[in-house]
Amino acid sequence: MSDLLARHRAVMPNWMALYYNEPIEIVGGKGNRVVDANGKSYLDFFAGILTNMIGYDVPEVRDAVERQLATGVVHTSTLYLIRSQVELAEKIARLSGIPDAKVFFTNSGTEANETALLLATYARGSDQVLAMRQSYHGRSFGAISVTSNRSWKNNSLSPLNVHFLHGADRHLTQFRGMSDADYIAACVDDLRHVLATAVSKDVAALIAEPIQGVGGFTMAPDGLFAAYKEVLDEEGILFVSDEVQTGWGRTGSAFFGIQNHGVTPDMMTFAKGLGNGFAVGGIVARGDLMDGPHAVGLSTFGGNPISMAAANATLDYVLDHDLQANAARTGEIIISGLREAAGRLPVVGEVRGKGLMFAIELVDPATGAPAPALAARFMEETKRLGLLAGKGGLYGSTLRMAPPLTLTEDEAREGLGILVTALEAVNDEAR
């Protein structure tokens, strides 16, 4: 493994992060578990950054991909009709709830967000965009400009004129202790103030994650985006919901994250879990917005027949097995269990989440300050105990987890036990 690590570092960029002091190579997977090159098994609570949405070696997905491979057609491009692309677009348009919806497929969430920004700025004739503090929308030039997290922002240059809003930052002094209603009112006041002071007319759009992924699964209280949309609608400002991490029932309480706010956006972007590991992203939007741009467009690999076969099979599996309900059920086991344990563990600053999308904020037990070193220690401990977790947050002190939606109740309890054991170890060391 040390040889592979040395080879990796010789040819891969230094900024391409690897987890763990001794990184692992995953060589096998079945169900909700993976195996590394040393033969060690792990319960996977991060799913390739929320991408292996229904686990590993799923017969329905494998069979669909093999049937497409057997035709000999791996790729055609969007210059030709692709039946599976049309079928998937029909399903997504229906599920979105967006009127007269149309769908465009890309390779990733970054490309999907770039497309949404293009459609919004074209429709409104403006480069002005609103986004949320602590957000992350991808690593391209435009996506970085609407990202609000210094750890992920390489460039202050921007093709857009961006203003950032409150909504997922209740830890700040001016908001601490507020009720949901008071916090929403304060955020709406700030939005109106931004529109009155910081922008010219004709703002293009607000782009927002219903639950911030890289931000550490921080989230606005339910209803905030409905209150924001009332203000946006007054000025014709479009609303883009970035569902790259919150889509397909993961929150348990809604099929798309924004539905927890009672909002139907003008556009939604998606990616990650839809292909269960195969590269697929896209955007679903009102037909008039999607049809608006006058220039010709295509996507060479977007809508690829292999990815479409995998995505159709994955989405059908999610719907046929009601995995949204399973996310609510198993997520409640884990989140309630973590909150119960947090009361006796001073290193836990907060437990938050919805469904199978949950996070633990670690703090210095003496000062309450964010504790990224403790988060790193937790990662090593869960690895030792046989569970894969993720890390993030504005200060690098958040453990974020999103197991496959196929997680069983027994696996949820098993994972909860490992998480609590790891927290106890970190808490004891931090005393």
Side-chain angles (χ1 to χ4, degrees):
M1 190 57 61
S2 60
D3 175 61
L4 182 59
L5 179 58
R7 290 164 58 194
H8 172 100
R9 288 177 172 159
V11 294
M12 303 291 184
N14 292 337
W15 44 260
M16 201 168 105
L18 286 169
Y19 276 163
Y20 308 120
N21 293 332
E22 296 181 4
I24 62 174
E25 178 190 7
I26 295 173
V27 298
K30 184 78 174 177
N32 301 316
R33 299 177 191 271
V34 295
V35 178
D36 72 13
N38 294 321
K40 183 177 175 67
S41 176
Y42 304 87
L43 183 59
D44 189 357
F45 264 34
F46 205 36
I49 320 179
L50 294 85
T51 300
N52 298 302
M53 183 169 68
I54 58 173
Y56 298 85
D57 194 23
V58 181
E60 289 85 348
V61 177
R62 183 180 64 246
D63 291 348
V65 170
E66 288 177 350
R67 284 195 299 272
Q68 182 59 43
L69 283 170
T71 69
V73 179
V74 173
H75 173 73
T76 63
S77 93
T78 53
L79 293 172
Y80 305 96
L81 289 170
I82 302 173
R83 184 175 299 273
S84 55
Q85 183 187 63
V86 173
E87 292 170 346
L88 183 59
E90 289 171 338
K91 295 171 190 174
I92 293 171
R94 174 178 56 82
L95 290 165
S96 74
I98 295 173
D100 303 314
K102 290 193 173 184
V103 180
F104 179 74
F105 291 107
T106 64
N107 301 291
S108 68
T110 294
E111 289 181 53
N113 285 329
E114 286 282 352
T115 303
L117 292 169
L118 170 65
L119 294 179
T121 53
Y122 184 92
R124 295 282 290 160
S126 171
D127 68 347
Q128 297 181 108
V129 174
L130 304 173
M132 304 297 291
R133 293 189 182 194
Q134 303 177 184
S135 61
Y136 176 83
H137 296 286
R139 58 176 180 77
S140 61
F141 194 36
I144 284 176
S145 71
V146 291
T147 289
S148 177
N149 185 320
R150 189 166 65 175
S151 296
W152 294 84
K153 208 170 177 76
N154 290 308
N155 202 330
S156 63
L157 302 175
S158 172
L160 301 168
N161 185 350
V162 185
H163 298 276
F164 293 99
L165 305 178
H166 297 292
D169 49 10
R170 296 175 76 166
H171 63 285
L172 297 179
T173 302
Q174 64 266 40
F175 303 127
R176 200 173 298 148
M178 280 186 172
S179 67
D180 286 357
D182 287 344
Y183 179 63
I184 290 172
C187 290
V188 170
D189 281 349
D190 179 71
L191 169 58
R192 289 191 181 279
H193 196 252
V194 168
L195 294 176
T197 62
V199 303
S200 179
K201 68 173 187 174
D202 297 333
V203 172
L206 166 63
I207 183 169
E209 304 158 275
I211 300 177
Q212 295 180 331
V214 169
F217 293 175
T218 46
M219 67 189 84
D222 289 350
L224 177 116
F225 290 117
Y228 271 179
K229 194 168 188 307
E230 288 185 12
V231 179
L232 302 179
D233 287 348
E234 291 172 7
E235 305 212 12
I237 300 169
L238 302 172
F239 181 39
V240 181
S241 184
D242 180 340
E243 298 280 350
V244 168
Q245 298 198 30
T246 49
W248 322 118
R250 176 159 294 281
T251 68
S253 50
F255 198 70
F256 292 104
I258 198 60
Q259 293 168 347
N260 288 304
H261 294 260
V263 168
T264 299
D266 300 289
M267 313 181 208
M268 290 194 292
T269 58
F270 56 84
K272 289 199 181 289
L274 179 59
N276 203 48
F278 287 84
V280 58
I283 175 172
V284 53
R286 283 178 10 215
D288 61 307
L289 296 173
M290 192 72 84
D291 289 339
H294 65 275
V296 175
L298 55 78
S299 179
T300 301
F301 289 105
N304 172 272
I306 300 296
S307 294
M308 294 295 97
N312 270 297
T314 299
L315 184 53
D316 288 347
Y317 192 100
V318 168
L319 296 170
D320 292 345
H321 293 80
D322 195 7
L323 294 189
Q324 177 182 329
N326 188 63
R329 198 164 44 244
T330 53
E332 174 59 24
I333 291 171
I334 297 167
I335 293 171
S336 62
L338 288 173
R339 285 178 174 154
E340 181 180 351
R344 57 183 172 79
L345 298 169
V347 292
V348 179
E350 183 184 12
V351 174
R352 54 181 175 262
K354 284 182 183 292
L356 284 177
M357 191 173 188
F358 50 89
I360 308 166
E361 190 77 37
L362 295 189
V363 298
D364 185 314
T367 66
L374 295 182
R377 177 70 191 90
F378 176 93
M379 292 286 287
E380 297 296 333
E381 189 64 13
T382 51
K383 175 195 172 190
R384 185 184 71 80
L385 294 168
L387 182 142
L388 300 184
K391 188 162 65 75
L394 188 61
Y395 309 107
S397 55
T398 304
L399 292 316
R400 57 185 183 122
M401 286 157 280
L405 302 184
T406 47
L407 192 76
T408 68
E409 293 185 20
D410 285 344
E411 289 170 332
R413 294 185 183 95
E414 177 189 352
L416 172 62
I418 292 173
L419 295 176
V420 172
T421 299
L423 287 171
E424 289 170 342
V426 172
N427 190 76
D428 289 344
E429 293 173 13
R431 286 178 179 174

